[in-house]
Amino acid sequence: MFQYLHSFRLGEPRKYDPTFKGPIYNRGCTDIVCCILFIICILGYVAVGILAWSQGDPRKVIYPTDSRGQFCGQAGTPLETKPLLFYFNIMKCASPMVLLEFQCPTTQICVEKCPDKFMTLKTALSNKEDFKYYKNFCKEGLDGLTVTQILKFGLCPVMLMPSKPFTRRCFPALAQKKGGEITVGNNSKFDDGEGNLRDAKDLVAGVKNATVVIEARQVAMKIFEDYTQSWYWILIGLVIAMLISLLFIVLLRFLAGIMVWVMIVMVILVIGYGIVHCSMEYVSLKSEAGSNVTLKDLGFQTDVSVYLHIRQTWLAFIIILAIVEVIIILLLIFLRNRILIAIALIKEASRAIGYVMSALFYPLFTFALLTIVIAYWAVTAVFLSTSNQPIYKVFNETACDHSRKICEPANFSTSSMKAECQDSKCLFAFYGGETVYHKYLIGLQFYNVFLFFWCANFVTALGQMTLAGAFASYYWAFVKPDDMPAFPIFSSLGRSLRYHTGSLAFGSLILSIIQIIRVLLEYIDHKLQGTQNKCTKFLLCCLKCCFWCLEKFIKFINRNAYIMVAIYGKNFCTSAKDAFFLLMRNMIRVAVLDKVTDFLLFLGKLLIVGLVGIFAFFFFSGRVKAFENTAPNLHYYWVPILTVVVGSYLIAHGFFSVYAMCVDTLFLCFLEDLERNDGSAERPYRMSDRLLKVLNKKNKPEPAE
């Protein structure tokens, strides 16, 4: 009874098959229905892209728009020579509606340059030259009109004040003198055009609200400038990371055991050096004024260097690094025996990669495909988001029943809305639409995101199955490399695309559905921010946690399922079941040996990123005197450092992902080998002598005739 339940729950162990010599070649197409569905969805994705490109207009995110929705500075239009946006009354931008609708309730026109002097409409009309200058900031049709008529029809601003362009918009040239006094054009007061003297500080609220949406652009521009100043140094750093990764892989090929222990020691030393350096910085800041300010009191700062002058920052670094150091040392002490087996697996993986060297460059192919997928998604998203029509709404200063209602600027002056609300204006509000296309635009955006996840997961799955097929052919080859295909990578890639596109699509579809659910949960959480009670927060938190765990589990199942598909050519569900039961029958080995190997490979990535990151930090921060005159002058020196660190991790991950896939494939083949064979002359183990020695197993010699 127990044996029956055991076989029912965990499946039957693999039986000996004398004809099995690695990935089978006589196979058929799998999961055809999902393959057809994937092709149809891809064709639909192309149709969505074509529709978006025909309807969208990326200029809407590049150029500022005036009150009529026209683009300032757009080439080939009458406004080509007028690239800047001018606000008639910037103080109206202090309205809270600016933050809600991203539109200031005042007339906006495109101008050639910002005003550089104080002037009111009343004084300008008394001087021909002044009025000629003033007309540059007015609408057309001023001839023969009085001041009252011009202001009634909203053709000119009441006043002009010195302004400066910022992100293609004219904002008052505010300055702050000693003592905190706010000035504009070196004056603390200005004439508001109605004979009243106003304080310059009254402009602050309007400028602040008008720039709340574009403050991020200022930071982005500084970051962009930093990239233009340091891009070649960033490339040098990434090239160094690539060379170190390649050197590391080559050394693993010949000195796997020594390299692993050297890697472990170096990681411990690098973290130890970090603790010492942070401790020195912490002590050196003891006498510096303001260094005892807490991170909570400091708040968020775009300039990361500010945090480095706070003692609490370095104390946090010391605690984090010390915890990591202790965890690594404890793991090494308690798992030292398993590490020996993991090293043997890594050595075997090094030999496999030595026979399949082209596998090291396969991540470049995966990266190229992912770049195409990401670029297509980004371009389609931009065109979809800019394919709306301009929507105009009623903006007013006093109470009005028609406030924020949709209007038409062409006939607004003669409409009933204008008659009932004399001070109202029909201004451009945002882009929208009422057609069938615009109503389902959010659905198209959702489809774009979903297909992005599906295609990205498909590309990743293709890489995993291709590498698995190549490394499996190495493991099961009795005489290496004679029994291996001439070009293992190309042979495996061809099999995967020809026979198993449906299986790849099936596995990536399941993962994509889970990922899109996680995105929806984050979207719901963001929308309900501040309005949800504790019960709702707890429920959302539990859902997000559960789906995060489910995504990790599905990734694990998919990865092993692709290995089984690459070897046996069965459909996705059967392969996933076989892989899962095989791993469950060897749960102890999976929980310890496989994870120890992953941990060792992670230490390798950590070492490479740490070495390159430390070099980048000392170079770009100017801490090394030898590089003081060489390092570029930057707004935020953390920008190139972070870029180099992230890029180094991606490069190291690209190289080590091949190693990880090789180890996972060999590990699964190793488990199958133990179940299929017993070391006898009729059923010899296919694993290497190193693995046999570590496991205390051996192949029996063939009996003498």
Side-chain angles (χ1 to χ4, degrees):
M1 181 66 177
F2 176 78
Q3 291 179 347
Y4 171 77
L5 290 174
H6 183 270
S7 63
F8 175 76
R9 291 174 182 172
L10 301 180
E12 291 287 348
R14 291 286 181 180
K15 295 181 180 180
Y16 175 68
D17 181 3
T19 63
F20 180 74
K21 296 182 179 179
I24 63 172
Y25 290 89
N26 185 20
R27 58 179 70 196
C29 296
T30 56
D31 299 297
I32 299 175
V33 174
C34 201
C35 178
I36 295 172
L37 177 63
F38 183 64
I39 293 172
I40 293 173
C41 290
I42 290 295
L43 293 176
Y45 197 23
V46 173
V48 169
I50 294 173
L51 182 63
W53 298 338
S54 64
Q55 299 289 328
D57 190 353
R59 295 173 300 178
K60 295 174 184 176
V61 297
I62 300 174
Y63 302 102
T65 53
D66 64 8
S67 296
R68 295 184 177 181
Q70 302 176 103
F71 302 119
C72 299
Q74 182 189 342
T77 67
L79 299 178
E80 181 178 3
T81 59
K82 298 180 178 181
L84 304 175
L85 187 68
F86 172 72
Y87 298 88
F88 271 27
N89 189 352
I90 192 68
M91 287 186 290
K92 291 184 180 179
C93 297
S95 166
M97 295 306 296
V98 175
L99 302 178
L100 298 176
E101 300 185 350
F102 303 107
Q103 181 69 13
C104 190
T106 185
T107 304
Q108 300 156 47
I109 63 171
C110 300
V111 296
E112 185 175 348
K113 59 181 181 179
C114 297
D116 56 6
K117 60 181 75 173
F118 270 115
M119 193 177 295
T120 64
L121 178 61
K122 188 181 296 185
T123 57
L125 280 172
S126 61
N127 186 296
K128 187 175 181 181
E129 289 298 321
D130 287 346
F131 188 61
K132 182 179 179 182
Y133 175 80
Y134 206 97
K135 288 169 67 176
N136 293 321
F137 307 97
C138 297
K139 297 180 180 179
E140 298 177 352
L142 300 177
D143 297 335
L145 298 180
T146 63
V147 174
T148 304
Q149 291 173 321
I150 292 173
L151 295 178
K152 179 181 178 181
F153 296 121
L155 300 177
C156 282
V158 177
M159 62 175 177
L160 299 179
M161 65 181 66
S163 304
K164 291 182 179 180
F166 173 65
T167 63
R168 297 193 179 188
R169 291 161 176 83
C170 294
F171 291 118
L174 297 175
Q176 187 169 4
K177 291 184 176 181
K178 290 183 178 180
E181 185 182 21
I182 303 295
T183 63
V184 57
N186 294 323
N187 295 313
S188 60
K189 296 184 180 295
F190 65 93
D191 189 338
D192 65 358
E194 298 178 357
N196 302 317
L197 284 177
R198 302 281 295 271
D199 288 330
K201 64 181 181 181
D202 293 342
L203 297 167
V204 173
V207 173
K208 183 178 180 181
N209 275 351
T211 58
V212 69
V213 183
I214 56 176
E215 276 185 344
R217 286 192 178 184
Q218 184 181 20
V219 177
M221 288 300 296
K222 288 183 178 180
I223 291 175
F224 179 75
E225 290 177 10
D226 288 344
Y227 277 126
T228 59
Q229 294 290 326
S230 61
W231 64 270
Y232 44 91
W233 293 111
I234 293 174
L235 284 180
I236 291 174
L238 296 180
V239 169
I240 291 174
M242 185 179 68
L243 293 176
I244 293 176
S245 300
L246 192 59
L247 177 63
F248 204 90
I249 296 295
V250 173
L251 290 176
L252 277 176
R253 170 70 178 90
F254 300 102
L255 303 168
I258 298 174
M259 283 297 297
V260 168
W261 288 112
V262 169
M263 173 182 65
I264 293 172
V265 172
M266 287 191 68
V267 167
I268 294 174
L269 291 177
V270 167
I271 297 176
Y273 171 79
I275 295 173
V276 173
H277 177 74
C278 293
S279 301
M280 293 172 62
E281 292 286 347
Y282 178 78
V283 173
S284 66
L285 288 172
K286 187 175 182 180
S287 58
E288 188 173 317
S291 62
N292 290 321
V293 177
T294 63
L295 294 173
K296 183 178 180 180
D297 295 334
L298 185 63
F300 176 74
Q301 301 291 330
T302 55
D303 188 359
V304 179
S305 61
V306 175
Y307 295 104
L308 300 181
H309 295 282
I310 306 299
R311 296 186 76 200
Q312 199 177 75
T313 302
W314 295 104
L315 180 61
F317 287 159
I318 294 170
I319 294 172
I320 293 170
L321 291 175
I323 292 173
V324 173
E325 184 93 326
V326 171
I327 290 173
I328 292 175
I329 292 174
L330 289 177
L331 286 174
L332 292 175
I333 292 173
F334 290 106
L335 299 177
R336 58 188 182 278
N337 292 328
R338 296 294 179 179
I339 288 175
L340 295 176
I341 303 177
I343 290 174
L345 258 180
I346 291 176
K347 287 180 179 179
E348 191 66 16
S350 299
R351 291 189 63 199
I353 291 175
Y355 285 111
V356 193
M357 285 298 292
S358 56
L360 287 175
F361 302 97
Y362 186 83
L364 296 177
F365 177 68
T366 301
F367 177 77
L369 291 179
L370 285 175
T371 302
I372 294 172
V373 171
I374 294 171
Y376 186 87
W377 162 78
V379 171
T380 303
V382 169
F383 274 88
L384 282 173
S385 62
T386 59
S387 59
N388 290 313
Q389 299 170 345
I391 300 297
Y392 302 88
K393 286 190 175 184
V394 176
F395 288 88
N396 57 287
E397 297 180 33
T398 58
C400 176
D401 294 336
H402 303 290
S403 179
R404 304 303 185 268
K405 288 185 178 180
I406 296 175
C407 59
E408 289 293 335
N411 57 6
F412 182 73
S413 58
T414 59
S415 66
S416 59
M417 292 182 181
K418 181 67 175 177
E420 296 177 20
C421 306
Q422 292 291 329
D423 66 336
S424 62
K425 297 181 179 65
C426 185
L427 303 178
F428 168 77
F430 55 85
Y431 288 99
E434 298 297 330
T435 65
V436 175
Y437 171 74
H438 295 108
K439 287 181 179 179
Y440 291 99
L441 197 57
I442 185 67
L444 295 178
Q445 286 281 25
F446 179 82
Y447 185 79
N448 181 36
V449 174
F450 179 72
L451 262 293
F452 164 71
F453 281 125
W454 197 357
C455 293
N457 289 325
F458 179 87
V459 170
T460 304
L462 177 62
Q464 291 175 346
M465 187 179 290
T466 300
L467 293 173
F471 294 129
S473 65
Y474 160 83
Y475 185 93
W476 295 108
F478 198 74
V479 180
K480 304 174 178 61
D482 296 342
D483 294 342
M484 293 173 59
F487 302 100
I489 286 290
F490 294 106
S491 177
S492 181
L493 177 61
R495 286 198 306 270
S496 300
L497 289 175
R498 182 178 178 182
Y499 297 108
H500 306 304
T501 299
S503 297
L504 293 169
F506 192 10
S508 53
L509 174 62
I510 297 172
L511 184 58
S512 301
I513 291 173
I514 295 170
Q515 289 173 335
I516 205 70
I517 291 174
R518 290 190 64 200
V519 171
L520 289 175
L521 288 174
E522 291 292 342
Y523 177 76
I524 293 171
D525 189 25
H526 176 72
K527 282 294 183 183
L528 297 178
Q529 201 79 33
T531 62
Q532 48 189 301
N533 54 36
K534 292 183 178 180
C535 182
T536 308
K537 286 182 179 179
F538 176 75
L539 181 61
L540 277 174
C541 184
C542 290
L543 285 173
K544 289 193 288 185
C545 181
C546 290
F547 277 97
W548 179 84
C549 295
L550 182 60
E551 181 183 351
K552 295 297 181 184
F553 177 73
I554 292 298
K555 283 183 176 179
F556 174 76
I557 291 296
N558 283 5
R559 187 181 181 91
N560 291 286
Y562 297 142
I563 295 173
M564 300 299 277
V565 172
I567 298 173
Y568 298 105
K570 297 180 181 179
N571 61 47
F572 177 81
C573 291
T574 303
S575 300
K577 181 193 71 174
D578 292 343
F580 180 75
F581 285 157
L582 176 63
L583 294 171
M584 289 302 100
R585 290 194 296 270
N586 299 271
M587 192 180 301
I588 302 300
R589 287 195 178 101
V590 173
V592 180
L593 180 58
D594 194 39
K595 294 307 159 189
V596 168
T597 308
D598 290 341
F599 174 69
L600 293 177
L601 294 178
F602 172 74
L603 287 184
K605 288 187 281 188
L606 194 66
L607 177 61
I608 293 170
V609 173
L611 291 174
V612 178
I614 290 172
F615 171 78
F617 173 77
F618 282 111
F619 178 80
F620 289 110
S621 64
R623 298 296 179 96
V624 180
K625 293 184 178 181
F627 297 127
E628 277 183 339
N629 298 325
T630 308
N633 294 319
L634 305 170
H635 296 288
Y636 311 117
Y637 68 80
W638 55 265
V639 170
I641 294 174
L642 191 61
T643 305
V644 169
V645 168
V646 173
S648 300
Y649 178 81
L650 293 176
I651 290 171
H653 179 72
F655 281 102
F656 279 89
S657 65
V658 176
Y659 243 96
M661 196 66 209
C662 182
V663 169
D664 286 349
T665 303
L666 297 182
F667 182 65
L668 216 59
C669 294
F670 156 75
L671 297 179
E672 289 250 330
D673 194 6
L674 290 175
E675 289 191 351
R676 284 178 175 274
N677 306 308
D678 58 6
S680 63
E682 296 79 16
R683 297 165 56 187
Y685 292 116
R686 298 297 182 89
M687 67 186 74
S688 66
D689 294 336
R690 293 188 184 92
L691 279 176
L692 288 171
K693 185 177 181 181
V694 171
L695 294 171
N696 292 321
K697 294 182 181 293
K698 60 181 179 178
N699 283 322
K700 299 176 183 178
E702 294 185 7
E705 295 182 1

